[in-house]
Amino acid sequence: MASLSLSSAHFSSSRSSVSTSSLSPSSPSLPLLRSPIRHRHRSLRRLTSFSVVPHRTSHSLSTCNSQIRCSVAEPLKVMISGAPASGKGTQCELIVQKFGLVHISTGDLLRAEVSSGTDIGKRAKEFMNSGSLVPDEIVIAMVAGRLSREDAKERGWLLDGFPRSFAQAQSLEKLNVKPDIFLLLEVPDEILIERCVGRRLDPVTGKIYHIKNYPPESDEIKERLVQRPDDTEEKVKARLQIYKENSEAIISAYSDVMVKIDANRPKEAVFEETQTLLSQILLKRMIKTDKASPVQDKWRGIPTKLNNIPHSRDIRAYFYEDVLQATIRSIKDGNSRLRVDINIPELNPEMDVYRIGTLMELVRALALSFTDDGKRVKVCVQGSMGEGALAGMPLQLAGTRKILEYMDWGDDETLGTFVKLGAIGGKEVDEEDDMFILVAPQNAVGNCIIDDLQAMTNAAGKRPVILINPRLKDLPASSGIMQTMGREQRLEYALTFDNCYVFRLLYYLGTQYPIMGALRMAYPYRYELYKRVTEENGKEKYVVISTYSERPTPEQINHAFSGKSREQSKKSSGFWGFLSSVLS
């Protein structure tokens, strides 16, 4: 198989430049003046709620609440289905925790109605006592009643494992109960059977163990574990068959909103995809556009059609939100030195389609999301570096300060009150600043930004400092001094920033088309390696082929795409060996 290369490793002789067309108010990448998209940042930041810190001298964001609040007029409506042991219960817990939806399970409803002695509960109890299935009409009445309550109307709902039949789906349709999305968790039968058959119950505590995946803590507990009667292989297979018959029957009812998810992965990876799908629904409702989005594909984990330039508003909004949520999670966990590396074509300065407007829009979306909580954010662009003939700044940053000043920041008082502009250096840190966003800090030929950057982080203390697409590797001076003096200390300091978000496209060696896959990491989850595949209907999607706890090397990426094990593959050499430095 041909080697793969990251989008950042494009060695074209032509350098990108900032074109005036990319900065015009009519450009979809950067609305400098009033435009239909001017309030998009408002919608983006409403997805996340923070606890307000009343004292301006407090700089800790560790108490922020990352639960997504459904503040739009139409809250989320979700149905989820999965075979026994598919992890549906775990995903329901995570969805409810993250999105605040009302969790509705027919089993829980039945028990609650019976316990409360309601008319429906009494009718249901008669069938349950006789060993008969509760009729659909009773179950539908319970579900409809629960959906009509105010909390479900205001917060949205998550229907767990219901409907189970086409008749139930039709009944809900008649009641105008329609989901925004139907999540179908898929796991191979042999894995499901192994999960069920290996489960053991502790009759004392009621805790569930697995003899292989989750063994008991002590021999004493192990001795008293029992297997539940319905967890035998024969009964599990029978339950799976019933589930398949039911699920096949309802696919036609929800095919237009159904998304199949590979649930044979760690729960974190499954939820990352689930969260992305639900966030996209919220974003599409909140983002105001003049016309329908040209991107209609159901994205699987990441957007498709990334080679289409300019990127659609939906695609850019997806990445802004993806970066935002990863950054919030990292700050919530107490991290204060953060790094974002995102190299979609419009954000890759090595490509001729680089758009400075997209970079500015990303910075604005992040800044305004934090100011919505009353945080004071300083957005910093490095100033002129060097003296005399060496005075100036990297071409990528030329004019960015002026662009930030003329951008539409929404409310008139936002810029200058909650968002302030500055340079990079220790003197730029004011007591009132809560956090800092640094726009593409980078070295220039013969000059190093590290000293100013280190002075700034020292002055910031524990306040978050976020680097957006930094380029901190040494560049040679004419005398070669920069390559040697203090290099070890500079590189050591650069490593003190933790990656909270990484996204890079993968191509065949030496090309920028077609896209072969992508590498993505959103804190605190693992690095995910995606392969781009074309489906029978001609649509494309991205499929996870491997995950890594640390950033993979080019050799590991090539192994994953070729399907070879480490023992079968030869050690990379030549260009691959050089590219390893790009990925490190």
Side-chain angles (χ1 to χ4, degrees):
M1 175 182 174
S3 296
L4 296 170
S5 138
L6 289 180
S7 61
S8 61
H10 168 58
F11 297 97
S12 172
S13 58
S14 61
R15 299 290 297 175
S16 61
S17 61
V18 180
S19 64
T20 56
S21 62
S22 68
L23 304 181
S24 67
S26 61
S27 168
S29 181
L30 177 61
L32 297 180
L33 305 179
R34 301 291 175 179
S35 67
I37 197 176
R38 68 187 180 92
H39 292 300
R40 180 161 76 186
H41 56 269
R42 291 286 182 193
S43 301
L44 282 169
R45 53 191 167 130
R46 284 186 184 127
L47 288 176
T48 305
S49 173
F50 294 93
S51 55
V52 177
V53 180
H55 301 293
R56 301 304 320 146
T57 56
S58 174
H59 303 299
S60 173
L61 293 179
S62 59
T63 59
C64 65
N65 174 17
S66 62
Q67 185 184 69
I68 295 178
R69 298 294 184 183
C70 194
S71 61
V72 291
E74 188 72 21
L76 276 175
K77 295 172 288 187
V78 182
M79 291 181 180
I80 186 169
S81 179
S86 63
K88 179 167 62 67
T90 299
Q91 293 304 309
C92 285
E93 291 179 6
L94 294 172
I95 291 172
V96 170
Q97 179 182 356
K98 189 68 179 180
F99 293 88
L101 305 182
V102 174
H103 182 211
I104 301 175
S105 165
T106 54
D108 292 342
L109 286 179
L110 277 170
R111 287 185 287 272
E113 295 287 348
V114 171
S115 176
S116 300
T118 63
D119 291 339
I120 292 180
K122 292 177 181 178
R123 294 174 57 194
K125 187 176 182 180
E126 295 176 1
F127 291 97
M128 296 167 67
N129 290 339
S130 64
S132 303
L133 291 175
V134 179
D136 282 352
E137 60 189 49
I138 295 180
V139 178
I140 292 294
M142 287 193 306
V143 171
R146 185 65 186 89
L147 292 174
S148 65
R149 296 184 188 177
E150 286 303 313
D151 59 346
K153 292 180 179 179
E154 294 177 1
R155 293 161 48 194
W157 45 261
L158 171 65
L159 260 179
D160 181 357
F162 191 85
R164 292 188 178 91
S165 67
F166 185 73
Q168 291 175 343
Q170 283 186 315
S171 297
L172 291 178
E173 177 76 17
K174 293 177 181 179
L175 295 174
N176 202 31
V177 176
K178 301 176 182 178
D180 298 313
I181 188 170
F182 189 104
L183 302 173
L184 183 61
L185 305 182
E186 292 188 319
V187 179
D189 285 357
E190 60 271 17
I191 301 297
L192 292 171
I193 293 172
E194 190 274 334
R195 288 180 182 178
C196 289
V197 173
R199 288 192 300 203
R200 295 295 184 270
L201 170 67
D202 183 348
V204 176
T205 64
K207 192 174 182 179
I208 299 294
Y209 294 91
H210 191 280
I211 56 178
K212 179 181 177 182
N213 301 330
Y214 185 45
E217 298 89 346
S218 66
D219 291 336
E220 179 184 353
I221 298 177
K222 182 178 180 180
E223 291 297 324
R224 67 177 186 241
L225 296 182
V226 297
Q227 186 179 40
R228 297 189 300 188
D230 57 348
D231 277 346
T232 63
E233 183 171 350
E234 181 180 356
K235 291 187 177 181
V236 170
K237 288 182 177 180
R239 288 159 59 198
L240 285 178
Q241 184 59 37
I242 295 174
Y243 167 77
K244 287 182 179 180
E245 293 173 357
N246 290 336
S247 62
E248 289 174 0
I250 62 174
I251 284 179
S252 59
Y254 299 108
S255 59
D256 57 331
V257 293
M258 180 175 292
V259 178
K260 298 179 180 180
I261 297 177
D262 177 12
N264 189 25
R265 294 178 289 166
K267 63 181 181 180
E268 296 84 2
V270 176
F271 181 62
E272 182 70 10
E273 181 174 352
T274 300
Q275 177 182 329
T276 298
L277 292 167
L278 299 184
S279 295
Q280 287 168 2
I281 295 173
L282 290 178
L283 281 169
K284 287 180 180 179
R285 286 179 179 168
M286 293 178 181
I287 297 173
K288 298 179 181 180
T289 56
D290 292 329
K291 56 184 179 180
S293 166
V295 180
Q296 300 296 336
D297 294 359
K298 287 186 175 69
W299 296 331
R300 294 298 305 273
I302 57 178
T304 56
K305 299 183 179 179
L306 290 176
N307 260 341
N308 289 0
I309 304 298
H311 295 320
S312 71
R313 290 174 175 177
D314 282 355
I315 287 179
R316 296 200 310 276
Y318 165 87
F319 282 110
Y320 301 160
E321 174 67 10
D322 211 24
V323 171
L324 172 63
Q325 292 302 325
T327 305
I328 290 171
R329 291 191 294 264
S330 187
I331 292 175
K332 182 181 179 182
D333 284 349
N335 299 316
S336 60
R337 302 293 176 263
L338 310 180
R339 174 173 178 150
V340 172
D341 284 309
I342 173 171
N343 280 69
I344 57 177
E346 286 190 8
L347 289 176
N348 185 354
E350 300 293 344
M351 300 182 73
D352 57 6
V353 295
Y354 170 71
R355 284 176 164 241
I356 195 172
T358 303
L359 177 63
M360 296 298 99
E361 200 174 49
L362 169 61
V363 170
R364 180 179 63 182
L366 287 175
L368 290 176
S369 295
F370 287 105
T371 62
D372 209 26
D373 179 42
K375 299 292 182 291
R376 298 182 185 271
V377 182
K378 179 160 285 184
V379 177
C380 304
V381 181
Q382 66 193 70
S384 177
M385 303 173 67
E387 299 178 357
L390 295 178
M393 64 174 60
L395 182 61
Q396 179 190 355
L397 297 175
T400 52
R401 176 63 182 259
K402 282 295 182 183
I403 295 172
L404 289 170
E405 292 176 0
Y406 288 112
M407 283 177 67
D408 176 12
W409 290 90
D411 298 337
D412 293 337
E413 73 275 9
T414 299
L415 186 63
T417 304
F418 291 103
V419 176
K420 291 188 176 181
L421 306 181
I424 296 177
K427 295 180 179 180
E428 296 291 327
V429 177
D430 296 322
E431 179 63 23
E432 63 180 8
D433 298 328
D434 290 317
M435 59 193 308
F436 307 86
I437 298 177
L438 278 55
V439 182
Q442 55 193 277
N443 297 318
V445 175
N447 292 284
C448 184
I449 192 65
I450 294 294
D451 290 341
D452 289 337
L453 184 58
Q454 191 164 11
M456 188 169 197
T457 53
N458 289 341
K462 295 183 179 180
R463 287 173 280 181
V465 177
I466 307 166
L467 310 185
I468 307 296
N469 281 358
R471 307 178 74 185
L472 303 181
K473 294 188 179 297
D474 279 355
L475 295 176
S478 58
S479 61
I481 294 177
M482 187 175 175
Q483 290 180 306
T484 56
M485 296 182 61
R487 184 176 189 274
E488 182 177 346
Q489 290 79 5
R490 289 195 298 272
L491 295 179
E492 182 179 350
Y493 171 76
L495 292 176
T496 62
F497 287 85
D498 298 317
N499 285 326
C500 67
Y501 188 83
V502 173
F503 186 91
R504 290 176 180 266
L505 293 174
L506 303 173
Y507 304 91
Y508 276 119
L509 183 65
T511 70
Q512 292 180 350
Y513 186 86
I515 297 173
M516 300 307 298
L519 178 67
R520 174 180 176 273
M521 188 280 291
Y523 182 90
Y525 306 112
R526 294 165 62 91
Y527 284 88
E528 298 173 332
L529 182 60
Y530 289 84
K531 181 177 182 180
R532 188 182 69 86
V533 299
T534 303
E535 299 179 299
E536 294 181 358
N537 57 10
K539 294 183 178 181
E540 64 177 356
K541 68 176 181 179
Y542 287 83
V543 179
V544 175
I545 60 175
S546 187
T547 63
Y548 309 88
S549 58
E550 298 180 353
R551 195 164 187 162
T553 65
E555 181 182 7
Q556 290 174 311
I557 292 175
N558 210 36
H559 288 167
F561 272 84
S562 63
K564 296 180 180 180
S565 65
R566 292 175 181 263
E567 293 73 18
Q568 293 173 318
S569 301
K570 296 181 180 179
K571 186 176 181 180
S572 61
S573 59
F575 184 78
W576 273 121
F578 174 77
L579 190 58
S580 296
S581 66
V582 179
L583 285 168
S584 61

